[in-house]
Amino acid sequence: MSQLTELTITQALALLQSREISSIELTEAYLDRIGKFESQIKAFITLTPELALQQAQAADKLRQNNSDYQLPALLGLPIAIKDVLAIKDIRCTCGSRILEDFVPPYTATTVQRLLDAGVVVLGKTNTDEFAMGSSTENSAYQTTHNPWNLEHVPGGSSGGSAAAVTSHFAPVALGSDTGGSVRQPASFCGISGLKPTYGRVSRYGLIAYGSSLDSVGIFAHTAEEIALIFQHIAGRDPRDATSMEIPVPSISLSENTSLVGMRIGVPKEYFISGIQPEVDAAVRSAVSQMEALGAEIVEISLPHTEYALPVYYLIATAEASANLARYDGMRYGYSAESATLWQRFKDTRGSGFGSEVKRRIMLGTYALSAGYYNAYYGQAQKVRTLIKRDFEQAYEKVDAIATPVAPTTAFKIGEHTNDPLAMYLEDIFTLPTNLAGVPGLAFPVGFDNQGLPVGMQLMGPHFKEESLLKLVHAYQLSTSWHKVLPDL
Ligand code: GLN
């Protein structure tokens, strides 16, 4: 039974289709594995085994009674969902005490589209509180452990989803990425993770952190599997005014590994001193591999890169301070029992939010305050435009940009908890993508000398997820980093 959990999505769907396995068997195999190892990993905040078995049974029944062409494409495939995406009637905590008992009355569009395609939901995965963090240590419930080394973090904020896929608790998982929260944990866990273009995937039902930066992303072992899921969740949604009416290509990935005709830019601002030498070496060697496959490698410059971190932490916190104003104890979730209304607001927010969330709300409120608005928020928006232009200019010359995902491999649990700035620096290479709204794909390219995975990021022009997936698919056909798995 345990090998069932090691099937790729394509293999699992083929076996389901040929009726060699049932969705119940597949789902039970994942639930068994979760039962065995979840106490070490702590990937899930909420497990939904009854629901999963119910959905699996329904999937099997549907398959029994219909011919293949009538069946939804992902029928019977198990999946894990980050606990910031709403699913009707399943509690959604966002990793926060303030939403401990919150049960949403509606389902996120991304999840709904996957449900319509037939998936089985195994549970809701751990996250830093309101997706603020890079390690899952800011979750009010638990810290997720890195499956490669339990003393290390899995990255964050979607660390639960990344650890779940890495541990073979689920073949695929959804996460969210506001500044790197899909790509950085994918990199720390040695799997692949896509942050789509802003506007490509609906944010309806994704509980808001920084609305101009947030996007729903996908974790799987390979680009091929991500491509399959991406096509189901992408596309215009009338419920998200920022989602775009741009057709989603049907992505077919060939067995051809040639990258002839592709130009890959290597920005000098992303290969700086301070990067862990093994990260630098593994990423450079992956770039050479792409060159060997026929790509032309071009040195480029993204000159405003150094401003991305301060700009992000002004814009993200400003938007967060506005988005999180709704948690006042009157409408959603936790409400303190206090004598006066004013005291109730204070107590609800004072004890409902954790310290990182409070820090962000204070920073954001300050950046937006009347006397400082122009100096901070207004200025940050201007510099954001310059960062966006850097990318536009680069994409006149290249098809994709190659960088490390993070300056280091997975750090130890507790290593950065008392140093917010050190934690913020983990996202230095991923957050420019969110500021510019362009897509980014992280994938494994090696290991450091402690045996921890190293990830590389390819960024592409707006709405060019397909070319990133093709590039990484070609790389993965010619290498095997994505096949090396941790021993639990
Ligand atoms: N670590 C970054 C932050 O804390 C990014 C988080 C994310 O992408 N959700 O804001």
Side-chain angles (χ1 to χ4, degrees):
M1 199 70 133
S2 77
Q3 315 86 294
L4 284 186
T5 56
E6 266 149 55
L7 297 171
T8 65
I9 297 178
T10 331
Q11 291 166 336
L13 288 172
L15 289 174
L16 286 167
Q17 226 162 58
S18 63
R19 286 134 172 105
E20 279 163 79
I21 61 169
S22 66
S23 176
I24 284 278
E25 282 173 293
L26 188 62
T27 304
E28 276 175 349
Y30 281 112
L31 291 173
D32 282 355
R33 191 166 165 86
I34 293 168
K36 258 200 207 125
F37 298 110
E38 169 64 357
S39 62
Q40 294 175 33
I41 304 291
K42 300 196 165 73
F44 289 92
I45 292 179
T46 306
L47 277 164
T48 53
E50 295 90 19
L51 172 74
L53 291 169
Q54 230 173 55
Q55 289 172 329
Q57 198 170 31
D60 286 338
K61 206 163 153 206
L62 197 66
R63 199 179 287 285
Q64 256 163 33
N65 300 336
N66 290 280
S67 30
D68 285 342
Y69 72 93
Q70 293 169 307
L71 296 172
L74 305 176
L75 188 63
L77 185 78
I79 187 170
I81 308 284
K82 183 179 182 181
D83 206 17
V84 293
L85 284 158
I87 308 181
K88 188 175 187 299
D89 299 335
I90 299 177
R91 117 182 142 127
C92 184
T93 69
C94 291
S96 182
R97 287 286 167 216
I98 214 158
L99 291 180
E100 187 160 12
D101 302 312
F102 172 61
V103 178
Y106 68 108
T107 299
T109 297
T110 44
V111 178
Q112 190 58 53
R113 288 186 179 175
L114 292 175
L115 288 171
D116 294 344
V119 301
V120 165
V121 176
L122 294 167
K124 305 290 300 288
T125 57
N126 195 26
T127 168
D128 286 298
E129 187 172 4
F130 286 104
M132 296 174 188
S134 307
S135 66
T136 78
E137 291 164 296
N138 296 336
S139 164
Y141 299 91
Q142 62 204 11
T143 293
T144 301
H145 296 252
N146 190 312
W148 289 94
N149 182 330
L150 299 177
E151 287 170 20
H152 289 247
V153 302
S157 61
S158 316
S161 284
V165 170
T166 310
S167 308
H168 287 292
F169 291 168
V172 56
L174 291 187
S176 67
D177 189 313
T178 303
S181 278
V182 166
R183 291 159 289 156
Q184 185 256 20
S187 166
F188 278 17
C189 289
I191 59 172
S192 304
L194 172 70
K195 180 208 98 71
T197 307
Y198 186 83
R200 177 61 111 176
V201 175
S202 169
R203 288 181 297 112
Y204 178 77
L206 166 66
I207 300 194
Y209 162 16
S211 303
S212 76
L213 304 155
D214 292 341
S215 47
V216 178
I218 304 161
F219 293 96
H221 289 277
T222 60
E224 187 186 9
E225 294 166 283
I226 289 180
L228 191 63
I229 302 300
F230 171 69
Q231 294 175 75
H232 286 280
I233 66 168
R236 166 82 184 151
D237 172 16
R239 288 175 156 148
D240 172 4
T242 61
S243 72
M244 299 285 283
E245 193 78 69
I246 292 178
V248 184
S250 97
I251 304 175
S252 74
L253 299 170
S254 73
E255 294 303 296
N256 179 4
T257 55
S258 169
L259 297 183
V260 173
M262 298 301 286
R263 292 165 67 97
I264 298 176
V266 177
K268 55 176 191 283
E269 293 81 2
Y270 284 67
F271 292 82
I272 43 177
S273 67
I275 308 190
Q276 191 178 326
E278 298 133 302
V279 171
D280 186 272
V283 171
R284 284 183 195 277
S285 120
V287 170
S288 305
Q289 170 69 8
M290 292 188 164
E291 190 172 24
L293 295 175
E296 188 188 335
I297 308 300
V298 188
E299 174 152 336
I300 60 163
S301 171
L302 297 166
H304 297 93
T305 301
E306 63 173 305
Y307 304 112
L309 190 85
V311 165
Y312 172 85
Y313 276 97
L314 284 165
I315 294 175
T317 56
E319 292 181 6
S321 73
N323 277 326
L324 272 56
R326 72 190 68 169
Y327 306 106
D328 54 10
M330 296 293 130
R331 287 169 284 188
Y332 312 91
Y334 171 70
S335 185
E337 308 275 337
S338 314
T340 65
L341 181 63
W342 191 246
Q343 196 57 41
R344 188 159 181 171
F345 288 147
K346 272 173 118 174
D347 293 345
T348 298
R349 291 170 69 83
S351 57
F353 288 137
S355 58
E356 183 60 28
V357 172
K358 288 183 201 162
R359 178 181 296 123
R360 307 275 180 118
I361 293 173
M362 286 190 280
L363 281 170
T365 306
Y366 185 78
L368 288 176
S369 57
Y372 296 102
Y373 182 94
N374 284 333
Y376 292 113
Y377 184 73
Q379 191 69 4
Q381 289 292 18
K382 289 183 196 154
V383 183
R384 180 179 190 172
T385 303
L386 297 177
I387 292 169
K388 200 166 157 227
R389 271 190 212 143
D390 280 358
F391 281 98
E392 282 160 8
Q393 279 159 10
Y395 291 130
E396 284 168 15
K397 286 182 252 150
V398 296
D399 302 293
I401 297 174
T403 73
V405 177
T408 66
T409 54
F411 47 89
K412 277 204 160 145
I413 291 174
E415 199 174 320
H416 293 334
T417 31
N418 295 322
D419 186 352
L421 193 57
M423 194 72 94
Y424 296 174
L425 281 166
E426 286 298 327
D427 300 299
I428 191 160
F429 299 145
T430 47
L431 35 92
T433 324
N434 300 73
L435 291 168
V438 293
L441 178 55
F443 55 102
V445 295
F447 290 91
D448 71 1
N449 57 16
Q450 298 180 77
L452 292 165
V454 176
M456 172 163 146
Q457 167 176 240
L458 276 183
M459 308 185 269
H462 289 105
F463 298 98
K464 294 285 191 236
E465 291 85 3
E466 185 176 9
S467 23
L468 298 183
L469 291 163
K470 283 185 166 163
L471 279 163
V472 175
H473 179 61
Y475 175 81
Q476 290 182 328
L477 283 175
S478 71
T479 54
S480 49
W481 300 114
H482 59 286
K483 291 187 188 150
V484 193
L485 299 168
D487 227 357
L488 292 187

